[in-house]
């Protein structure tokens, strides 16, 4: 079984400040981890993923995420937030094992609000 | 390069009516999915398909049927619409390996009166 928790429904940050959106996961094997962003009236868009190797993953729009195996976390970060980063963010996990789940498990989403 | 295209974008139905939502992808992906998104509920998987001619139930399949007659298309049917099916429906596709992200359409906003 696999699961994802995004403990914050909403994160508020001032423009120019660093932001963190939290994600923890549970999976039987090694995880493949993903972050997606959803803007209003749009579908989810892929931001970045962790497969293996370097624990710090860089993605689109200046976002990065840090994989921490001991804490089973994959927090999304950005050094300097923009108002245009305001959106809904989803973390997802898939099982690494061959033949593992066809179905990614998504967190419930975190609404990021960046104030001018 | 269209990616994942959903039609229609908006629809209003009366209770008891039926309709079909169409999802088309041009990336030659094996896997396709239908989700519904409701406020505070995140994404919930309705049905999915791991290849042409195959379908499987997800988390909330009741009241919906699906078909995957062609690899590029995944149809979601509402047999007898109910107000509880008012939602935003998203289609997604991805390749066979588990390290590939899903590609999403922009959704169909469906209201059942």
């Amino acid at each position: 079984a696999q699961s994802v928790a995004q403990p914050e429904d909403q994160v508020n940050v001032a423009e120019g400040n660093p932001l963190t959106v939290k994600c923890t996961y549970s999976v039987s094997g090694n995880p493949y981890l993903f972050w997606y962003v959803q803007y209003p009236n749009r579908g989810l868009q892929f931001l970045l993923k962790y497969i293996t190797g370097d624990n710090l993953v860089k993605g689109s729009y200046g976002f990065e995420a840090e994989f921490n195996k001991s804490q089973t976390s994959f927090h999304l970060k950005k050094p300097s937030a923009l108002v245009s980063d305001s959106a809904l963010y989803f973390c997802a996990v898939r099982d690494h094992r061959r033949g593992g789940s066809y179905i990614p498990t998504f967190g419930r989403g975190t609404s990021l609000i960046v104030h001018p | 390069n269209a990616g994942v295209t959903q039609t229609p974008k908006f629809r209003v139905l009366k209770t008891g009516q039926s309709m079909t939502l169409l999802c088309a992808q041009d990336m030659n992906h094996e896997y396709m999915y239908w989700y519904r998104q409701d406020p505070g509920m995140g994404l919930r998987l309705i049905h999915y398909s791991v290849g042409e001619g195959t379908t499987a139930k997800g988390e909330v399949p009741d009241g919906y049927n699906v078909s995957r007659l062609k690899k590029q298309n995944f149809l979601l049917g509402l047999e007898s619409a109910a107000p509880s099916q008012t939602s935003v429906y998203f289609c997604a596709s991805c390749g066979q390996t588990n390290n590939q992200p899903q590609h999403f359409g922009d959704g169909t906003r469906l209201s059942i009166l």
Side-chain angles (χ1 to χ4, degrees):
Chain A
Q2 55 193 38
S3 65
V4 173
Q6 293 183 240
E8 301 153 319
D9 290 336
Q10 185 171 302
V11 170
N12 291 277
V13 65
E15 188 174 30
N17 283 1
L19 68 88
T20 299
V21 182
K22 296 180 180 178
C23 171
T24 59
Y25 68 90
S26 173
V27 68
S28 299
N30 290 321
Y32 289 139
L33 293 156
F34 304 84
W35 275 104
Y36 295 85
V37 59
Q38 184 181 29
Y39 298 104
N41 300 314
R42 299 296 303 274
L44 278 67
Q45 299 176 32
F46 169 68
L47 268 181
L48 52 80
K49 66 181 179 182
Y50 172 81
I51 303 302
T52 187
D54 195 348
N55 289 343
L56 186 64
V57 178
K58 294 188 183 298
S60 306
Y61 311 122
F63 283 93
E64 57 191 25
E66 186 168 12
F67 172 66
N68 187 316
K69 188 172 183 177
S70 63
Q71 296 185 5
T72 62
S73 67
F74 189 55
H75 300 332
L76 182 69
K77 300 181 179 184
K78 188 174 183 181
S80 179
L82 299 172
V83 171
S84 58
D85 292 330
S86 298
L88 192 56
Y89 290 81
F90 289 93
C91 181
V93 66
R94 293 181 80 171
D95 195 326
H96 181 283
R97 294 170 296 172
R98 183 183 294 277
S101 175
Y102 303 113
I103 306 169
T105 297
F106 284 85
R108 289 199 162 202
T110 298
S111 178
L112 173 67
I113 300 174
V114 181
H115 302 276
Chain B
N1 190 1
V4 177
T5 303
Q6 292 184 235
T7 53
K9 296 188 186 307
F10 305 94
R11 187 73 183 267
V12 178
L13 290 178
K14 295 181 179 179
T15 297
Q17 287 184 317
S18 63
M19 79 161 294
T20 300
L21 282 65
L22 172 64
C23 176
Q25 53 96 2
D26 61 2
M27 297 168 283
N28 200 36
H29 285 163
E30 289 293 333
Y31 299 169
M32 296 187 74
Y33 310 79
W34 276 107
Y35 295 92
R36 60 178 289 174
Q37 185 178 30
D38 303 290
M41 302 291 289
L43 289 173
R44 291 186 290 171
L45 182 66
I46 305 171
H47 286 280
Y48 66 100
S49 168
V50 299
E52 181 179 314
T54 72
T55 63
K57 294 180 179 180
E59 181 185 356
V60 289
D62 294 342
Y64 305 95
N65 57 71
V66 287
S67 64
R68 183 107 181 262
L69 298 179
K70 294 183 178 181
K71 185 177 183 178
Q72 64 267 32
N73 295 337
F74 195 29
L75 278 62
L76 177 70
L78 281 70
E79 300 157 342
S80 178
S84 61
Q85 294 177 304
T86 293
S87 188
V88 182
Y89 292 86
F90 288 99
C91 177
S93 71
C94 69
Q96 281 183 291
T97 54
N98 284 359
N99 63 6
Q100 295 189 28
Q102 289 175 300
H103 296 255
F104 285 80
D106 279 337
T108 294
R109 285 147 186 83
L110 185 60
S111 292
I112 316 295
L113 304 178

